[in-house]
Amino acid sequence: MSAWLPTAPCTPAGCASLRWPTVRRATAVLRLVAGTAAVLAGVLLAPVAIPLGPTGRARLAALWCRTVMRAFGVRVRVTGAVPPRRLPGPPGPGTLVVPNHISWLDVPLVASVLPGRMLAKREVRRWPVLGPLARFGGTLFVDRDRLRELPAVVGAVAGVLRRGSRVVVFPEGSTWCGRERGRFRPAVFQAALDAGAVVQPVHIAYRPVGAAAFVGDDALGTSLWRVAAAAGLTAEITVLPPIPAAAHPDRRALARAAQPAVGGAAAAGATAAPHRRPPGSRVFPAQTTVDRDSANLPSASVHHSVSFIPAAASSERTPS
């Protein structure tokens, strides 16, 4: 595990040991099968989307992600103005989307609303099923243990932004349970500055809290079961006002501007009505033992960004 890797205090025992309404076991099994089938369908149909072009593939990917979420029994609630993929007129710089990070569900959730290219850790390339899909979707990969790669990664992200595309990065660098949040690491914000792009803060929340959390040394199989078994699980995504990168002098200032926006949305969401138990549901302990999946690493994000790199090394443009 890299010494630079951000870690969160969130653990499965602390975050996924609460009690919330669950569906019957047969329903959970059906959801698990349906969700897996939806993911596999994406693998099989991916070649069909190649002739569609970037816009067509993005729309198809968004539809597929919504299908995956629905198959797992997750309802999606979108708040805020969702910007178009491209604004009318001449092509301009793209958008750096920066959500908080709670779960593996964050990836299809964001992609269903704001489809774009993800920044992921290199290990995702070798994952079964998800690896080929990530490569097909144009995911940008980073080696977390090679600090010398940082300028090239920042340059690659900036290049994608200059061509008018979206890039989705989780700048906390690790998943947090939803009750706690991490600091936005500034390194990747340099790409937005270099490209003159817009930063799009996004706040993610799940109700009930904890059901979707994928933290610490949690096993992917265990998390999949919790999601499938949760009754009335709702994913809430709030699209916040964009922040022009040029309005801030350096990446640290830009990161400091984006993080409070996301945190402010979290504080507003905390005052919302509590989660209601659906009629006919039952309450059981949330933690269910399922075979471990080695794809998850302790306290490491599924889509782990370059934010674990010290800011001083991220670009020659901004002084350390």
Side-chain angles (χ1 to χ4, degrees):
M1 199 161 181
S2 172
W4 300 111
L5 188 65
T7 58
C10 307
T11 64
C15 300
S17 61
L18 302 176
R19 294 166 67 90
W20 49 74
T22 62
V23 298
R24 296 181 181 278
R25 185 178 183 84
T27 302
V29 170
L30 287 175
R31 286 179 175 179
L32 198 57
V33 171
T36 303
V39 172
L40 292 176
V43 176
L44 297 175
L45 296 176
V48 179
I50 294 176
L52 298 180
T55 302
R57 286 198 298 269
R59 289 175 179 171
L60 187 60
L63 175 62
W64 172 69
C65 289
R66 288 194 293 270
T67 301
V68 170
M69 300 284 287
R70 189 180 186 92
F72 275 105
V74 182
R75 304 170 184 172
V76 176
R77 177 183 176 188
V78 182
T79 305
V82 179
R85 186 172 177 82
R86 281 186 180 275
L87 297 175
T95 303
L96 183 69
V97 180
V98 288
N100 58 310
H101 205 4
I102 298 173
S103 171
W104 56 271
L105 273 172
D106 300 346
V107 177
L109 174 62
V110 174
S112 69
V113 179
L114 297 168
R117 298 182 66 176
M118 296 277 176
L119 183 62
K121 60 185 181 182
R122 183 190 60 177
E123 292 86 341
V124 173
R125 279 180 181 269
R126 300 190 294 270
W127 287 8
V129 181
L130 296 181
L133 281 176
R135 293 194 298 271
F136 174 78
T139 298
L140 303 168
F141 295 99
V142 57
D143 188 339
R144 299 172 300 169
D145 297 318
R146 299 184 63 182
L147 304 186
R148 293 180 181 178
E149 283 194 0
L150 179 59
V153 172
V154 171
V157 173
V160 174
L161 293 172
R162 288 191 188 99
R163 292 191 291 272
S165 297
R166 286 194 188 114
V167 179
V168 181
V169 178
F170 296 97
E172 288 172 308
S174 180
T175 49
W176 295 65
C177 68
R179 289 180 290 270
E180 299 287 343
R181 296 185 299 276
R183 178 174 65 88
F184 276 16
R185 306 302 175 105
V188 75
F189 288 89
Q190 185 64 48
L193 287 169
D194 292 343
V198 171
V199 173
Q200 179 70 72
V202 172
H203 177 251
I204 295 172
Y206 296 94
R207 304 287 185 266
V209 176
F214 182 52
V215 294
D217 60 354
D218 203 3
L220 181 57
T222 303
S223 179
L224 287 167
W225 178 258
R226 279 200 308 269
V227 169
L233 180 57
T234 301
E236 301 174 353
I237 179 168
T238 304
V239 181
L240 301 163
I243 302 173
H248 298 274
D250 55 48
R251 62 184 176 273
R252 295 180 180 85
L254 188 53
R256 286 195 297 266
Q259 181 171 344
V262 174
T271 62
H275 179 79
R276 296 182 181 276
R277 186 173 72 182
S281 63
R282 298 176 296 169
V283 178
F284 293 107
Q287 189 73 6
T288 305
T289 301
V290 178
D291 290 341
R292 296 186 60 81
D293 188 312
S294 60
N296 187 28
L297 295 177
S299 299
S301 162
V302 174
H303 277 251
H304 183 74
S305 74
V306 296
S307 58
F308 62 87
I309 306 298
S314 66
S315 173
E316 297 178 356
R317 170 178 163 177
T318 304
S320 57

